[in-house]
């Protein structure tokens, strides 16, 4: 089995490598478009020549140039294959650090990547890459789920195309067919996860039907049975007539659908009286065993204890009193059908009512339905209602919106039916899971789900774990018979005596001890609910029940479980309960719950709405990095994410900006010699003394870099992935790219010593940006990292930037003044319509002596950023300087107040077309004045002020004030413009 598993893994790796050179072919394969008759290549797969076998990234070849844009279509698969070749996904066996372990929520083996998988994979990979860069040995363990119902349905549909049923094939041959299908098509979902950059340890990939995991399932069943927690009994379950199996609550979807409410008379025996009753399912009348009324309902008190006759039958049933009945709903009387309704079932147990089953496994009526036997349930509904109408029992029928339970897999209406099934007692399992959250040993993020967690576990019901399928873990129960004839005659192959054992050999030994040598065994035909095996996932994948398994000892319990909040109960809670019960420990310490990915209008993605966004298509068109960054920055724990393509485009533009920054830096390193290149590899500004001799601009960007490291690290630790992405975006785009790169050009284009320091700061800061962004955008950051001067291995296993580096708080404040000065100059240029390319004179008036000296040193940077000419200067303030915030014109110049201690004087006279600007301002004045006049007339009308809602009047008043302010500003600007024009003319 181990050899077979490794062989399958090898094939998947081969498929991924082929994906790197034949992307379109893989796309077709991922979409299930490959010809099923085409033979699959199983041996001799050779790595394409385009994939480097060099175990490290070499800078010498990359430093020369980068392509115009990042060719993600070719680069992403190559980078991923290189990571795998270098063993980057496997935990460091020699590390003494505390491991970080996660188990991937196993997707269905039939699955195709959707946005739910994409966000789960992205967020888990962010955690894995971050912890790996923090120096911890990371095990992110991947695998797939056998998906009992889904997989069986797929193969049965294929058989139907051949004109064969599984019953005709027989169980053994059918299972062979399913295994064959799984071997041929079952790896597509994992290949697609590779395209998302999932840094899982694929050498440990598991499948829920692996031999080891199957043995774990058998062991868990046996242990729970020995403790009295597993039992067989007849209870009401969700029954799928099409699949003819019980289904879990998760596989039932409730839909609001139009239906009817049928009102009819329930005749009182030996009387002309009756009770009016309403139902949405008339066919279930045939299984009624009581009519219930509220004990305090005066309308029906006199009927309690009497018998009434079930319509169209000879059966008599009692009228009972039960406080569950709502007097105000419907007629105030409730028909009780314990065999076909979960609420009625509880009433039936409470009142000791007879339970009658009127339906067969296929949803048709059985012998208990009398003359309606053999009819489909919906046909029987119409026939019974017509007969009741002829008998004069019908009162009315009216439209009614019903909450209809439908099978998630087959789409048919699910029936509540009483069936003999295997169950797990949940109450005693739930208590430790509740306690784990209460004492803090298990943390749920976000914390608001704790209330939901507690409410569900405190009201938990026993879990039906048996499924009437052939694909899955066969229930390890064997029934004992005296001989073959008795075994063949047993209904469903089950008898009264059974053995629970880990395998057939153990079962036979126990049976022979109990019943003698001639005993005949038949294994229970059912399989276990898929959630039973996936409930063991965090520890069965690590070698449990072998307590000495190396992986179990080193990596269990795991650290974090990341999954959707919609399976908090169906999977997360069961893993916690099973983990505590079977291993004595919670399987993880943190549960992070993400929301659903919806379309941009907030609607759930569905084929019927035509709003499904395919992550594979986004990866092909916009890159994996763009998709991951979009999902990460849009994530808030527990909140749904509305995904729009505009956000994906914005993320792609961010990738382009990152790439262009890398190109700019490398372009300015083209002429450095090898010795200088090596010195850039070790550029380090982490210590306070390394900042002291640098100019203000460099001290600012390095301090801002170290500051964002602290902020991003803190956000990573609290699992705030949205904040991580936004912090990186804002720093890189708004500070590093928009300010420092532009400022650095002054020094880079000089020939003095400042050029070298600017190169070192650029490389150091950009490397830090790449490291921070890598968990979110692994491919483009890895490619840029390999091209830049750096020491050590691939970025994904490089060291995370330290959060203890130097921050010069004064430099941060001082550079803010510089930024404000530049913004003030830029705004004034735009305000007065100065040509964008024209260099203008300016005087910076700075009160603080130390700051004035710093800004004097940075005057070339300020001039470059503001497009000032050579006459620009920095001066101390004069007595006539403007003292209040704002701007003023004094004949030939404009003074802009940045702060009480910083001003800019701009002699703008003659630097713009005053006539053209005055014409433009006149048009603006005319439009605003017209709008203001109309709004003023509206507000002066008593009809509006007295009759309109207060909020509307307040909004109009605020708009009036805003328009008046704009009008005053334009008039002031016209005055300033006229003065400047006059001054220019006089000169």
């Amino acid at each position: 089995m181990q050899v077979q598993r490794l062989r399958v893994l090898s094939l998947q790796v081969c498929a991924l490598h082929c994906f790197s050179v034949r992307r379109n072919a893989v796309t077709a394969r991922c979409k299930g478009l490959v010809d099923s008759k085409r033979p699959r290549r199983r041996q001799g797969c050779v790595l394409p020549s385009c994939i480097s076998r060099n175990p490290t990234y070499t800078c010498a070849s990359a430093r020369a140039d980068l392509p115009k844009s990042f060719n993600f279509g070719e680069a992403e698969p190559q980078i991923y294959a290189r990571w795998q070749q270098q063993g980057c996904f496997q935990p460091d066996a020699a590390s003494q650090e505390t491991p970080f372990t996660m188990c991937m929520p196993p997707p269905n083996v039939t699955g195709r990547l959707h946005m739910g998988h994409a966000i789960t994979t992205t967020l888990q990979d962010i955690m894995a890459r971050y912890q790996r860069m923090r120096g911890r040995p990371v095990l992110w363990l991947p695998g797939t789920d056998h998906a009992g119902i889904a997989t069986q349905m797929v193969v049965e549909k294929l058989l139907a195309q051949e004109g064969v049923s599984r019953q005709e094939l027989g169980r053994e041959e059918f299972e062979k067919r399913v295994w064959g299908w799984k071997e041929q098509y079952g790896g597509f979902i994992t290949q697609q996860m590779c395209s998302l950059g999932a840094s899982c340890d694929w050498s440990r990939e598991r499948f829920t039907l692996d031999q080891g995991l199957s043995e774990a399932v058998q062991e868990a069943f046996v242990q729970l049975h020995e403790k009295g927690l597993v039992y067989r009994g007849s209870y009401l379950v969700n029954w799928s007539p099409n699949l003819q199996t019980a289904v879990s609550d998760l596989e039932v979807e409730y839909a609001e659908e139009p239906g009817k409410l049928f009102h009819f008379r329930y005749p009182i025996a030996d009387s002309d009286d009756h009770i009016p009753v309403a139902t949405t399912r008339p066919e279930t009348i045939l299984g009624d065993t009581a009519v219930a009324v509220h004990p305090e309902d005066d309308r029906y008190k006199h009927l309690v204890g009497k018998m009434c006759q079930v319509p169209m039958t000879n059966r008599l049933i009692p009228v009972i009193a039960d406080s569950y009945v709502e007097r105000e709903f419907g007629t105030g009387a409730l028909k009780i059908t314990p065999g076909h309704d979960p609420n009625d079932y509880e009433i039936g147990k409470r009142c000791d009512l007879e339970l009658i089953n009127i339906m067969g496994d296929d949803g048709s009526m059985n012998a208990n339905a009398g003359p309606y036997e053999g009819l489909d349930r919906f046909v029987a509904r119409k026939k019974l209602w017509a007969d009741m109408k002829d008998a004069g029992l019908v009162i009315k029928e009216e439209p009614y919106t019903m909450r209809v339970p439908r099978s998630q897999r087959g789409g048919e209406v699910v029936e509540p039916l009483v069936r003999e099934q295997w169950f797990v007692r949940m109450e005693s399992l739930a208590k430790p899971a509740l306690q784990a959250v209460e004492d803090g040993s298990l943390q749920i993020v976000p914390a608001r789900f704790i209330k939901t967690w507690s409410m569900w576990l405190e009201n938990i019901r026993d879990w039906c774990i048996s499924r009437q399928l052939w694909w899955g873990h066969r229930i390890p129960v064997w029934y004992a018979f005296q001989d073959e004839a008795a075994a063949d005659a047993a209904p469903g192959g089950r008898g009264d005596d059974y053995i629970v054992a880990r395998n057939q050999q153990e079962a036979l030994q126990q049976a022979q001890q109990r019943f003698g040598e001639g005993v005949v065994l038949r294994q229970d035909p059912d399989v276990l609910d898929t959630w039973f095996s996936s409930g063991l996932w965090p520890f069965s994948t690590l070698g449990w029940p072998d307590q000495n398994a190396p992986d179990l000892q080193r990596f269990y319990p795991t650290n974090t479980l990341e999954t959707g909040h919609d399976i908090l109960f169906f999977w997360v809670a069961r893993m916690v309960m099973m983990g505590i019960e079977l291993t004595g420990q919670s399987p993880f310490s943190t549960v992070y719950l993400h929301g659903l990915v919806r379309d941009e209008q907030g609607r759930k993605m569905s084929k019927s709405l035509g709003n499904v966004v395919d992550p594979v298509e986004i990866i092909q068109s916009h890159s994996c990095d763009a998709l991951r960054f979009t999902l990460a920055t849009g994530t808030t724990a527990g909140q749904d994410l509305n995904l729009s393509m505009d956000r994906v485009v914005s993320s792609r533009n961010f990738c382009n900006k990152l790439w262009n920054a890398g190109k700019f830096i490398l372009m300015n390193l083209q002429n450095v010699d090898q010795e200088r290149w090596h010195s850039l590899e070790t550029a380090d500004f982490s210590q306070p003394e390394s900042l002291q001799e640098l100019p203000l601009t460099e001290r600012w960007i390095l301090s801002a870099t170290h500051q964002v490291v602290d902020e991003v690290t803190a956000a990573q630790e609290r699992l705030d992935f949205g904040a991580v992405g936004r912090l990186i975006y804002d720093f890189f785009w708004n500070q590093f790219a928009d300010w420092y790169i532009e400022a650095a050009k002054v020094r880079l284009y000089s020939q003095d010593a400042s050029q070298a320091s600017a190169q070192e700061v650029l490389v150091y800061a950009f490397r830090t940006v790449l490291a921070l962004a890598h968990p979110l955008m692994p491919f483009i950051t890895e490619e840029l990292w390999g091209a830049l001067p750096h020491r050590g291995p691939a970025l994904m296993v490089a060291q995370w930037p330290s959060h203890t580096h130097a921050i010069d708080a004064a430099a941060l404040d001082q550079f803010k003044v510089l930024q404000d000065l530049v913004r003030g100059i830029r705004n004034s240029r735009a305000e007065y319509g100065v040509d964008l390319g024209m260099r203008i004179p300016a005087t910076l008036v700075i009160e603080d002596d130390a700051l004035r000296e710093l800004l004097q040193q940075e005057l070339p940077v300020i001039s470059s950023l503001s497009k000032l000419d050579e006459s620009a200067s920095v001066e101390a303030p004069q007595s006539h300087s403007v003292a209040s915030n704002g701007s003023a014109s004094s004949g030939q110049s404009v003074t802009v107040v940045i702060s009480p201690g910083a001003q800019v004087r701009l002699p703008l006279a003659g630097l713009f077309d005053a006539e053209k600007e005055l014409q433009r301002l006149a048009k603006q004045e005319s439009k605003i004045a017209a709008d203001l006049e109309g709004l003023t007339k509206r507000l002066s009308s008593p009809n509006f002020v007295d009759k309109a809602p207060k909020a509307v009047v307040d909004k109009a008043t605020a708009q009036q004030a805003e328009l008046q302010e704009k009008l005053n500003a334009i008039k002031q600007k016209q005055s300033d413009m006229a003065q400047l024009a006059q001054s220019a003319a006089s000169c």
Side-chain angles (χ1 to χ4, degrees):
M1 178 60 73
Q2 179 70 8
V3 172
Q4 182 183 15
R5 190 169 73 82
L6 291 175
R7 186 180 182 188
V8 171
L9 176 64
S10 175
L11 293 173
Q12 290 172 347
V13 173
C14 290
L16 178 64
H17 292 159
C18 294
F19 176 46
S20 67
V21 290
R22 297 287 306 275
R23 191 178 187 89
N24 293 335
V26 159
T27 302
R29 185 164 71 246
C30 290
K31 293 184 176 180
L33 301 178
V34 70
D35 185 357
S36 61
K37 296 181 180 179
R38 186 176 178 180
R40 192 179 181 196
R41 185 176 183 180
R42 292 186 171 271
Q43 295 180 354
C45 182
V46 179
L47 291 177
S49 58
C50 62
I51 297 179
S52 171
R53 288 169 172 77
N54 192 335
T56 59
Y57 289 84
T58 56
C59 298
S61 60
R63 61 182 286 191
D65 195 14
L66 282 176
K68 181 179 180 181
S69 60
F70 180 48
N71 187 352
F72 57 85
E74 292 184 5
E76 288 177 355
Q78 294 178 26
I79 293 170
Y80 192 89
R82 192 180 302 130
W83 285 330
Q84 278 197 299
Q85 287 176 315
Q86 296 177 23
C88 295
F89 299 162
Q90 298 175 11
D92 183 0
S95 174
Q96 299 301 310
E97 297 291 330
T98 302
F100 179 83
T101 312
M102 288 188 302
C103 286
M104 174 188 289
N108 287 354
V109 71
T110 60
R112 177 183 174 189
L113 197 71
H114 57 62
M115 278 300 170
H117 297 129
I119 191 169
T120 297
T121 303
T122 296
L123 299 184
Q124 283 202 312
D125 194 50
I126 289 172
M127 287 187 278
R129 289 178 183 273
Y130 168 70
Q131 294 292 344
R132 195 178 285 117
M133 294 176 74
R134 293 303 300 267
R136 298 177 67 177
V138 171
L139 173 57
W140 181 16
L141 204 150
T144 50
D145 190 280
H146 63 278
I149 292 177
T151 307
Q152 181 159 318
M153 283 181 62
V154 168
V155 177
E156 286 201 71
K157 287 179 181 178
L158 294 174
L159 291 177
Q161 295 175 7
E162 300 175 13
V164 181
S165 69
R166 66 182 170 100
Q167 288 80 8
E168 292 172 325
L169 279 181
R171 185 164 193 151
E172 184 177 350
E173 184 59 31
F174 176 76
E175 287 179 343
K176 289 181 180 178
R177 289 288 191 102
V178 182
W179 274 108
W181 181 92
K182 186 265 178 187
E183 290 299 318
Q184 187 170 5
Y185 299 107
F188 291 162
I189 185 76
T190 55
Q191 292 170 21
Q192 290 173 321
M193 285 183 172
C194 291
S195 71
L196 265 171
S199 57
C200 312
D201 184 355
W202 294 107
S203 69
R204 285 177 165 89
E205 183 182 9
R206 305 307 302 268
F207 177 55
T208 48
L209 286 179
D210 282 351
Q211 181 177 346
L213 271 66
S214 296
E215 291 173 355
V217 168
Q218 293 161 352
E219 180 65 31
F221 188 95
V222 171
Q223 286 193 24
L224 293 175
H225 183 267
E226 289 175 348
K227 295 176 181 180
L229 296 175
V230 166
Y231 67 96
R232 186 167 181 81
S234 293
Y235 292 93
L236 201 71
V237 297
N238 300 310
W239 187 263
S240 170
N242 286 3
L243 300 172
Q244 295 195 25
T245 181
V247 295
S248 72
D249 292 339
L250 184 64
E251 292 156 341
V252 178
E253 294 181 341
Y254 288 88
E256 299 289 333
E257 300 179 10
K260 290 182 179 181
L261 190 60
F262 301 88
H263 296 254
F264 65 98
R265 298 178 180 87
Y266 233 113
I268 301 298
D270 302 324
S271 169
D272 293 333
D273 205 352
H274 71 274
I275 297 181
V277 178
T279 182
T280 57
R281 299 189 297 160
E283 71 278 9
T284 62
I285 294 171
L286 300 171
D288 288 352
T289 56
V291 175
V293 298
H294 195 279
E296 297 177 4
D297 195 333
D298 293 335
R299 295 173 295 175
Y300 306 122
K301 273 185 178 181
H302 66 289
L303 297 176
V304 175
K306 293 190 176 183
M307 305 296 288
C308 50
Q309 183 173 346
V310 178
M312 314 316 297
T313 74
N314 295 322
R315 286 195 302 112
L316 295 179
I317 61 175
V319 179
I320 64 172
D322 195 285
S323 58
Y324 172 80
V325 180
E326 298 180 25
R327 285 174 284 181
E328 297 78 15
F329 181 76
T331 67
L334 186 67
K335 59 182 285 299
I336 306 299
T337 321
H340 297 277
D341 182 273
N343 295 317
D344 293 1
Y345 180 77
E346 294 300 324
I347 294 174
K349 288 199 299 183
R350 192 162 57 242
C351 300
D352 197 24
L353 298 177
E354 183 184 4
L355 188 150
I356 300 175
N357 179 18
I358 58 169
M359 289 187 196
D361 290 350
D362 61 355
S364 64
M365 311 305 285
N366 62 22
N368 291 330
Y372 305 95
E373 181 182 5
L375 295 180
D376 176 79
R377 51 185 166 158
F378 299 118
V379 175
R381 175 181 298 179
K382 295 178 181 178
K383 179 70 168 63
L384 175 64
W385 190 247
D387 292 344
M388 290 174 62
K389 188 176 293 185
D390 292 341
L393 297 176
V394 169
I395 299 174
K396 65 177 180 178
E397 55 184 85
E398 58 185 0
Y400 183 76
T401 300
M402 302 168 58
R403 192 164 179 263
V404 180
R406 290 190 175 274
S407 168
Q408 188 185 62
R409 302 300 179 186
E412 80 279 10
V413 176
V414 170
E415 286 291 342
L417 293 181
V418 174
R419 287 289 183 273
E420 192 176 32
Q421 303 283 345
W422 286 95
F423 293 85
V424 175
R425 302 185 198 276
M426 301 302 290
E427 186 176 357
S428 62
L429 293 177
K431 289 180 180 178
L434 281 165
Q435 182 61 36
V437 173
E438 290 174 3
D439 64 23
S441 59
L442 176 62
Q443 181 185 11
I444 297 178
V445 181
R448 71 173 187 273
F449 282 99
I450 294 176
K451 183 177 180 180
T452 317
W453 169 274
S454 300
M455 187 179 300
W456 187 75
L457 288 176
E458 288 167 356
N459 297 279
I460 198 167
R461 296 183 178 183
D462 288 356
W463 173 19
C464 174
I465 58 171
S466 50
R467 298 290 179 266
Q468 289 64 52
L469 303 171
W470 286 359
W471 173 246
H473 293 100
R474 191 89 172 261
I475 290 180
V477 172
W478 284 262
Y479 297 94
F481 300 95
Q482 293 180 348
D483 50 41
E484 293 285 350
D488 294 340
R494 300 182 180 92
D496 296 331
D497 298 316
Y498 63 84
I499 303 293
V500 175
R502 293 165 181 81
N503 51 58
Q504 187 168 3
Q505 182 179 359
E506 182 180 309
L508 183 59
Q509 291 175 352
Q510 292 185 32
Q512 289 175 343
Q513 291 175 3
R514 287 176 55 185
F515 305 109
E517 293 294 329
V519 67
V520 174
L521 295 182
R522 290 286 189 273
Q523 188 172 359
D524 194 300
D526 292 350
V527 299
L528 286 164
D529 180 11
T530 301
W531 295 106
F532 188 90
S533 55
S534 58
L536 313 177
W537 186 251
F539 46 97
S540 64
T541 51
L542 296 174
W544 186 89
D546 180 3
Q547 301 297 331
N548 296 318
D551 280 358
L552 187 67
Q553 290 188 343
R554 189 180 189 209
F555 297 112
Y556 186 82
T558 68
N559 297 86
T560 304
L561 175 77
E562 198 290 327
T563 190
H565 65 70
D566 53 331
I567 56 173
L568 176 62
F569 309 132
F570 305 106
W571 186 47
V572 180
R574 285 170 177 165
M575 282 191 289
V576 173
M577 289 186 285
M578 299 284 263
I580 295 175
E581 178 65 30
L582 296 172
T583 72
Q585 302 178 80
S586 175
F588 26 77
S589 55
T590 301
V591 176
Y592 180 94
L593 301 170
H594 68 252
L596 300 177
V597 182
R598 299 180 178 273
D599 71 5
E600 55 188 324
Q601 299 178 39
R603 301 173 301 175
K604 188 175 181 179
M605 293 185 185
S606 68
K607 292 181 180 178
S608 60
L609 290 176
N611 63 345
V612 175
V613 180
D614 187 341
V616 174
E617 292 179 0
I618 292 182
I619 290 171
Q620 291 173 343
S621 59
H622 292 80
S623 81
C624 169
D625 290 321
L627 174 60
R628 287 171 59 115
F629 194 75
T630 302
L631 294 174
T633 53
T635 295
T636 301
Q639 297 292 330
D640 291 350
L641 165 64
N642 294 351
L643 180 67
S644 71
M645 288 308 299
D646 288 342
R647 296 179 68 169
V648 178
V649 171
S650 175
S651 297
R652 183 195 62 193
N653 293 341
F654 181 61
C655 293
N656 292 340
K657 187 82 169 179
L658 204 65
W659 185 260
N660 290 335
K663 282 187 63 181
F664 170 80
I665 295 170
L666 285 169
M667 179 183 68
N668 284 278
L669 301 179
Q670 281 185 336
N671 296 325
V672 305
D673 57 27
Q674 196 68 19
E675 182 180 356
R676 174 64 180 152
W677 184 271
H678 289 319
S679 69
L680 288 170
E681 292 177 343
T682 57
D684 182 17
F685 297 94
S686 59
Q687 301 304 315
E689 56 270 18
S690 63
L691 273 63
Q692 292 176 358
E693 303 302 321
L694 293 174
L696 172 62
T697 302
E698 276 64 34
R699 284 188 287 117
W700 162 74
I701 192 61
L702 290 170
S703 297
T705 301
H706 297 159
Q707 190 174 57
V708 80
V709 168
D710 292 352
E711 294 168 343
V712 170
T713 302
Q716 284 277 18
E717 291 296 325
R718 66 176 184 265
L719 305 182
D720 191 350
F721 306 113
V724 170
R726 291 187 292 271
L727 286 166
I728 295 169
Y729 183 97
D730 290 342
F731 170 76
F732 171 73
W733 197 298
N734 299 327
Q735 297 186 67
F736 183 82
D738 283 0
W739 285 95
Y740 184 65
I741 283 184
E742 294 305 314
K745 290 177 181 178
V746 174
R747 310 198 212 286
L748 289 172
Y749 301 157
S750 68
Q751 299 300 319
D752 55 27
S754 65
Q755 182 188 57
S757 66
Q759 289 172 339
E760 291 177 355
V761 170
L762 270 172
V763 170
Y764 173 86
F766 191 60
R767 279 203 311 249
T768 304
V769 170
L770 294 180
L772 295 178
H774 177 76
L776 283 69
M777 310 161 66
F779 292 108
I780 193 170
T781 54
E782 187 71 85
E783 188 81 350
L784 288 168
W785 178 272
L788 285 170
H790 75 279
R791 286 286 176 91
L795 175 56
M796 77 165 291
V797 289
Q799 184 177 1
W800 181 260
S802 172
H803 61 285
T804 59
H805 288 344
I807 296 177
D808 187 337
L812 294 174
D813 293 336
Q814 292 159 352
F815 193 81
K816 184 179 184 304
V817 176
L818 184 152
Q819 289 176 306
D820 291 341
L821 287 167
V822 171
R823 291 190 185 102
I825 297 170
R826 288 173 174 176
N827 291 341
S828 296
R829 292 175 62 112
E831 185 178 357
Y832 288 96
V834 177
D835 184 81
L836 292 176
M838 179 180 292
R839 291 194 170 272
I840 62 174
T843 300
L844 311 184
V845 182
I846 306 300
E847 183 174 331
D848 183 82
D849 294 341
L851 179 61
R852 186 169 61 253
E853 182 180 351
L854 283 173
L855 293 179
Q856 179 65 54
Q857 296 171 4
E858 294 299 296
L859 188 57
V861 171
I862 298 172
S863 298
S864 175
L865 295 174
S866 308
K867 287 188 168 41
L868 302 181
D869 64 19
E870 295 179 353
S871 66
S873 63
V874 182
E875 298 179 1
Q878 304 298 320
S879 60
H880 61 271
S881 296
V882 178
S884 60
N885 287 341
S887 63
S889 173
S890 57
Q892 297 186 7
S893 67
V894 170
T895 299
V896 181
V897 179
I898 304 303
S899 67
Q903 303 168 9
V904 181
R905 288 202 300 269
L906 299 169
L908 296 176
L911 299 181
F912 57 91
D913 189 336
E915 186 66 28
K916 183 177 179 181
E917 280 299 302
L918 286 170
Q919 291 175 2
R920 183 179 66 82
L921 291 171
K923 290 181 181 179
Q924 287 185 359
E925 179 189 18
S926 176
K927 182 180 184 306
I928 292 175
D931 293 343
L932 180 60
E933 181 181 4
L935 196 55
T936 302
K937 286 181 179 179
R938 188 181 184 195
L939 285 167
S940 63
S941 170
N943 288 334
F944 172 72
V945 176
D946 296 339
K947 295 180 179 180
K950 183 178 183 302
V952 175
V953 175
D954 291 345
K955 184 177 180 181
T957 303
Q959 289 175 338
Q960 181 190 38
E962 183 180 353
L963 288 173
Q964 184 63 59
E965 186 178 345
K966 287 182 178 179
L967 187 61
N968 293 339
I970 287 180
K971 288 181 177 180
Q972 180 62 48
K973 191 173 180 182
Q974 286 174 319
S975 175
D976 295 344
M977 196 75 70
Q979 288 186 33
L980 289 169
Q982 186 177 2
S983 298
S986 64
C987 292

